[in-house]
Amino acid sequence: IWILLFKSLTNKEKLFVNLVIAGALFLTLLPLIAGLAHRPEGFFYTGTGFVGGADKMVYFSQIEEVRQGNFLIHNLYTSEPQTARLFSPVWLIVGLLAKISNLPTILAFHLSRLASGFVFLWLAYLFLSSIFKSIKWRKLSFVLVCFSSGLGFLFFGRLANTDQNYLYEHLSTDLWITEGNTFLTLMHSPLFILAQIFILIIFWWALFRLSGAGWMEILGIGLLTALLGIFHPYDLFIIFQVLGVWYLLKCL
């Protein structure tokens, strides 16, 4: 179905989507470029920013463990004694790709983030094209999905200081709650983007395929949902609550 939707688009429409995606992903690189350009002498820039900075240190350590030949990994950000028992499919794949290609961990992370972001945004546009027949509405919706956020930037200059604890208490959530909008998700990591891809596929299937689905198709979606539960489990609450309410209303 995704392929048929893609083939139904005009060449101008495809060019528009590619240009918007390129612009959005380039903007996510600006903090990285700025960090590298302003790195003080004698310091190493980690390739992270304010959005989920602590999370990314964990991701880098897990990618590095896979590069070193581990299938199961540790949580290195705890002082408790432990053995390598964590299974992280996303960082396992990124780590194996980094190992095979001999790419640095940080570069492998950002390349996988850009690649998964490209796939997600294209799937998002195909999802919109299955809802809107009007190309104008598809384009407008897609731009809003890619770039929209809140109005927190209007009040950023009024904050008293930039201490991290102070910011978490007073900063508008649209500036740091990653899943709050698509753009911050694109900036964060391939983990969050892949979770969005899975959610999009599951919602699309429920909206357009559920009524005529066979057992094999239902089993496939079940396995996809289970895999999402392994690497990003709290998204299951979103899926089951939203689809549960939607299905109840549909029955009524």
Side-chain angles (χ1 to χ4, degrees):
I1 300 297
W2 296 104
I3 296 175
L4 293 177
L5 286 172
F6 178 79
K7 290 182 177 180
S8 68
L9 305 180
T10 65
N11 290 332
K12 288 185 177 180
E13 203 172 352
K14 294 175 183 176
L15 177 61
F16 170 82
V17 175
N18 284 324
L19 289 175
V20 172
I21 291 176
L25 295 180
F26 175 74
L27 289 176
T28 67
L29 289 173
L30 290 183
L32 181 65
I33 296 172
L36 291 172
H38 294 87
R39 175 174 57 96
E41 186 176 354
F43 284 80
F44 175 80
Y45 176 53
T46 60
T48 68
F50 181 75
V51 179
D55 294 347
K56 292 172 187 175
M57 295 297 99
V58 178
Y59 303 156
F60 291 162
S61 71
Q62 294 179 346
I63 295 171
E64 187 62 34
E65 278 204 278
V66 174
R67 284 172 57 97
Q68 295 174 9
N70 297 306
F71 183 79
L72 298 177
I73 53 183
H74 301 80
N75 176 14
L76 298 179
Y77 284 80
T78 178
S79 58
E80 298 179 2
Q82 58 179 299
T83 57
R85 294 178 178 176
L86 297 177
F87 175 64
S88 181
V90 175
W91 305 126
L92 176 64
I93 294 173
V94 176
L96 289 174
L97 291 175
K99 183 178 181 180
I100 294 171
S101 60
N102 201 30
L103 289 173
T105 294
I106 296 176
L107 181 57
F109 173 87
H110 284 290
L111 288 178
S112 60
R113 178 179 64 81
L114 294 174
S116 57
F118 179 83
V119 173
F120 166 66
L121 290 179
W122 253 113
L123 289 179
Y125 189 83
L126 293 177
F127 181 82
L128 292 171
S129 68
S130 65
I131 297 176
F132 297 109
K133 292 183 178 180
S134 170
I135 295 178
K136 178 180 69 175
W137 284 109
R138 293 178 189 176
K139 291 181 176 180
L140 177 60
S141 302
F142 185 60
V143 171
L144 290 175
V145 167
C146 289
F147 300 105
S148 62
S149 181
L151 300 176
F153 70 95
L154 296 175
F155 306 96
F156 186 77
R158 301 180 185 179
L159 298 178
N161 60 63
T162 57
D163 176 73
Q164 180 168 306
N165 292 329
Y166 174 84
L167 288 176
Y168 281 136
E169 293 178 3
H170 297 85
L171 194 65
S172 176
T173 55
D174 62 287
L175 296 179
W176 69 277
I177 297 294
T178 310
E179 294 99 324
N181 58 76
T182 307
F183 189 74
L184 287 186
T185 299
L186 294 173
M187 288 185 63
H188 188 273
S189 69
L191 176 69
F192 281 23
I193 299 172
L194 191 62
Q196 293 293 312
I197 290 175
F198 276 45
I199 292 173
L200 187 62
I201 293 174
I202 293 168
F203 279 5
W204 176 86
W205 178 83
L207 287 172
F208 300 108
R209 295 287 299 172
L210 177 60
S211 58
W215 283 108
M216 292 300 296
E217 193 171 333
I218 295 174
L219 178 62
I221 290 295
L223 293 175
L224 192 73
T225 307
L227 181 58
L228 175 62
I230 292 176
F231 71 83
H232 217 229
Y234 60 81
D235 283 337
L236 297 182
F237 291 96
I238 298 173
I239 291 172
F240 290 126
Q241 289 179 12
V242 172
L243 290 183
V245 172
W246 169 79
Y247 186 69
L248 176 61
L249 293 175
K250 189 176 179 66
C251 289
L252 292 175

